[in-house]
Amino acid sequence: MSAVSDAALDTDELWQIVDGERAGLADLLEGLSPAEWETPTRCGDWRVRDVAAHLTLAARFSYGEVVREMLRARGDWNRMIHDSAVREGERPVGEIVGNLRSIIGSRRLAPTTSPREPLIDLLVHGQDIALALGRSREMPPAAARDSADRVWTMRFPPRPWPLPKARLVATDIAWTRGEGDEISGPISALLLLLTGRTEAAAPRLEGAVPKTV
């Protein structure tokens, strides 16, 4: 049987953590060198600047702008997300950081999403940036647990990552999901595993961790 304890944060708690993650990431980005902004990440062809720009879009784009971006991408949601981030990533780095700071306190959401989606984005993409730069960036365990549970139960918008066929057990906070051979580790590593970052997660996990290529 799957089990989970006290995973859900209330809406005010979610937004407070989102604001803190935006502020902390802006602080990290503000100190980067020009070369670090161009560092490739493991998010396809996105550089650090493209990932950072992506994190500003949901809270800045109006519905009309989203529709225009969808038309430009010929109705392909994933292409729209990719292309809009790359275009916004060409802005001056000071503007990207300014845009991120400007949405602290914003409660605007992308269509079909809840406050849990921007939290997932910030936690996971924050790791994408930090790992690309060889930096350490902590995840609040309660926030990581809430995000892991959202990814596990996601139906709409569709979850883009297949669930591991395993029993996941967090070792630093109460959270267990799934059935099968056990994979255990910090909830932050399990969240990375659930969002397709197996190579980044594997060194901190024990048990039936999927092989990386």
Side-chain angles (χ1 to χ4, degrees), residues 41-42 128 131 189 192-205 209-213:
T41 72
R42 292 175 181 173
D128 291 332
L131 289 166
L192 292 178
L193 177 67
L194 285 169
T195 52
R197 276 81 173 168
T198 304
E199 187 174 353
R204 296 194 293 140
L205 296 174
V209 183
K211 292 182 179 179
T212 59
V213 293

Side-chain angles (χ1 to χ4, degrees), residues 82-126:
H82 172 274
D83 292 354
S84 60
V86 171
R87 277 194 296 274
E88 288 288 310
E90 292 303 324
R91 292 180 180 273
V93 295
E95 191 173 337
I96 295 172
V97 174
N99 285 338
L100 187 56
R101 290 201 187 280
S102 75
I103 61 174
I104 296 170
S106 172
R107 302 298 180 250
R108 177 181 281 180
L109 293 166
T112 78
T113 66
S114 76
R116 289 186 161 81
E117 277 68 45
L119 180 58
I120 294 168
D121 250 10
L122 284 158
L123 293 180
V124 174
H125 283 313

